[in-house]
Amino acid sequence: IDRMGRRDFILAPGCDMPYDVPRENLVGITHVVHDEKATRHYLEHYVHRSVDVTVEMPDYEHVDGALVEVFTIDSATCAACGYTRAAADEAARALGPRVEVVERKITTPENIARMQRLGLAHLPAIVINGKLAFSSVIPGRKALEGAIAAAL
C-alpha cells in the first residue's frame, strides 16, 4: 500500500481464495487496510515461525527419472493451480513412465514444511527433482517438457 498509494488501489486475495478460509482471516485483512497504525505496530513485532512438522523429503539425488512436484493451493479450487497441474500431467504423459507427478497442496502442514525447506515463495510452483523450475507461472508445453526432459 505504501508503494502503490491509496488512489485506484485494489487489494484482492489473488485469482482465488480457498472455500474454507477462516472468517478471522478475512476480518484480519480488512483491519490491515483500514487500521494502518495497528498493522504497522503488529508488523514491527512480528516473528516468523516455521512450520514445526517432521516431513520426509524425497531423495532427489537418487530419483530414477523425473519427480515433478506441483505445489498448489489446491488444483480443484484454484484455476491457475489446476492449469499448472494439468500441464504437468500432460507433459508426463508425453514423456513416458519415468515421469512421476505429485501435487503438494498447501492445505497440509507437511506440504507447507516442504515449501519452506525448498525455499518456495510463490504458488503455483513446479519443482523437478528438487529444483524450482517454474514459479507463479503456468509454463508452456515446450518449456515444461524441455525442463522435465533435461532432468531425465
Side-chain angles (χ1 to χ4, degrees), residues 21-51:
V21 169
R23 194 173 308 158
E24 296 81 16
N25 291 11
L26 300 175
V27 171
I29 198 68
T30 302
H31 286 291
V32 165
V33 173
H34 294 287
D35 193 347
E36 188 175 325
K37 184 177 178 183
T39 299
R40 289 184 190 284
H41 176 77
Y42 173 79
L43 291 174
E44 287 171 9
H45 298 90
Y46 176 75
V47 177
H48 174 75
R49 294 190 186 107
S50 293
V51 175

Side-chain angles (χ1 to χ4, degrees), residues 46 48-55 106 108-117:
Y46 176 75
H48 174 75
R49 294 190 186 107
S50 293
V51 175
D52 190 20
V53 174
T54 302
V55 63
I106 64 161
T108 67
E110 292 80 10
N111 288 333
I112 293 171
R114 284 185 178 93
M115 276 189 69
Q116 289 176 339
R117 293 205 31 206

